[in-house]
Amino acid sequence: MARQDALLDAAKSIRAAVAQDSRSNFSGIELTVEKSVLDLYWKGAIPAEVQSLVTRLNTRGESTIRVHTAKFSLGELNREVKQVMARPHTSFGKAVKAAPLHDGSGLNVAVDGSGAPLGADAHKQLVPSAASSLDTDVPVSLEVAPRAQPVDRMDDSSPYWGGGLMINRAGGNACTSAFGVKRNSDGATRLLTAAHCGKTGDNWVDGGFDTMGKVEGNWPYYETQLINTRGGTAVWHGSVRADQTSGSDATNKTVRGWAFPEVGQLVCSSGSYSGT
C-alpha cells in the first residue's frame, strides 16, 4: 500500500492536467503496484504539456510511467455508455452495468442473463445474442452478472458510518452505505450509497427500521446517490458473523477524502453482509 503512494500521486497529477482540457483524448490509467509502473492510455498524440508532465514524473525515479496509444478516448466511451444504458434490454437480459475499458479499447457490459439459460456455455450464448442488440458500435467485453440480492446487517445509528445496512422502503431492497460527506454550501452532512439502489425521493431505513432519510439526488453516471441523513466520518471495519452481527474485531476506519479509483489499485471494501 505504501509503494503505490507515488503512483497515486502521479495519477492525480495526470488527471488534473486532463481536467484542464474538456476535449482531452485521455483514455485511462492502470497501475502495476508491484513494479511501480503506471500505464497511461491516450487516443492519438499526447499533448505537449502532458508529455512534459510525464517526463518530469519519470525523472523523479519514484515510478515509471509508460504511454500507450488507445483506440477510443474516455469521452467517446462515456457517450457510448449512456447510449447502452438508455436502451439496456437485450435478448439475453437487461444490461445492469456498462463502463469504459481503461485501455480505451471499448466497453465492458454486464447483463443479468435472464433472457437465456445460464450454464457452462452462458458466455458463448451471450456474445452473439447480447452484443448484437446493444446500442453501440464500439467493441464490447461481455459478462453475466447475477441480479442483486437483498442482504441483512446489524443496526447502525446516526451519524451513519459507511459499510452499514440500509433498506429502501420503496422496494424493500437492501444496500450498503458508502460514507458520509459534507455539503460545501452550508456544511450539512449527508450519506452516500450506490445510485442503482434507489431513486430520488425514496425513503431509507437502517437495520432496525429506524428512519434514515430521503434520497436528495441520484447520479447513475457516477453510481452515486445522496441521502438526507447525518453521515459520519468513518467506515465499519471488521468481520460479520453468520447471524449478521458484528464480529469481535469490529472497529472503524476514518474517511480522509476521495479520489478516482485506478485500475490495478489496491483497495479494501466493507460490505453490510460480507464485512471487511
Side-chain angles (χ1 to χ4, degrees):
M1 297 293 278
R3 181 180 292 180
Q4 76 173 355
D5 284 350
L7 294 174
L8 293 176
D9 286 343
K12 184 177 181 180
S13 297
I14 292 170
R15 287 186 179 274
V18 169
Q20 300 300 313
D21 182 5
S22 60
R23 295 177 295 178
S24 166
N25 280 329
F26 167 79
S27 298
I29 289 172
E30 179 178 9
L31 311 182
T32 304
V33 178
E34 295 81 0
K35 297 181 179 180
S36 295
V37 170
L38 183 154
D39 288 299
L40 171 62
Y41 295 89
W42 202 282
K43 179 184 177 182
I46 189 170
E49 59 272 21
V50 178
Q51 181 59 64
S52 176
L53 172 61
V54 169
T55 301
R56 291 199 307 272
L57 293 171
N58 277 330
T59 301
R60 293 180 184 176
E62 298 174 336
S63 58
T64 299
I65 301 175
R66 304 183 300 199
V67 179
H68 307 271
T69 300
K71 188 172 182 179
F72 302 99
S73 70
L74 180 61
E76 290 172 332
L77 293 179
N78 277 334
R79 287 191 287 274
E80 296 298 315
V81 165
K82 291 181 179 180
Q83 285 188 195
V84 169
M85 297 310 291
R87 297 175 57 188
H89 294 281
T90 75
S91 56
F92 199 85
K94 182 180 179 181
V96 295
K97 180 190 77 172
L101 292 170
H102 69 278
D103 61 359
S105 61
L107 301 182
N108 171 250
V109 178
V111 297
D112 62 26
S114 59
L118 297 179
D121 295 328
H123 187 72
K124 294 178 182 178
Q125 301 173 38
L126 175 77
V127 173
S129 61
S132 62
S133 53
L134 290 171
D135 188 16
T136 181
D137 293 325
V138 305
V140 175
S141 170
L142 290 148
E143 62 181 272
V144 178
R147 291 180 181 272
Q149 299 296 320
V151 297
D152 202 355
R153 177 67 158 132
M154 79 282 290
D155 181 10
D156 198 0
S157 59
S158 178
Y160 291 98
W161 291 351
L165 174 66
M166 300 166 48
I167 302 170
N168 190 330
R169 281 291 199 188
N173 60 296
C175 279
T176 295
S177 54
F179 53 88
V181 295
K182 183 184 291 185
R183 190 162 58 192
N184 289 333
S185 60
D186 59 6
T189 59
R190 295 292 188 265
L191 186 67
L192 296 177
T193 191
H196 72 263
C197 291
K199 60 183 184 301
T200 301
D202 283 356
N203 284 291
W204 285 97
V205 296
D206 58 29
F209 290 92
D210 297 312
T211 298
M212 296 176 68
K214 287 187 176 182
V215 178
E216 284 189 343
N218 189 295
W219 299 273
Y221 182 80
Y222 293 106
E223 241 303 58
T224 299
Q225 65 176 259
L226 189 69
I227 302 166
N228 185 357
T229 192
R230 289 183 64 206
T233 58
V235 172
W236 286 99
H237 181 80
S239 61
V240 176
R241 297 191 182 99
D243 63 356
Q244 304 311 312
T245 59
S246 292
S248 58
D249 58 345
T251 179
N252 67 84
K253 297 289 186 181
T254 301
V255 177
R256 297 174 55 195
W258 75 275
F260 286 99
E262 306 296 356
V263 174
Q265 178 180 344
L266 303 175
V267 298
C268 294
S269 63
S270 178
S272 59
Y273 176 78
S274 58
T276 301

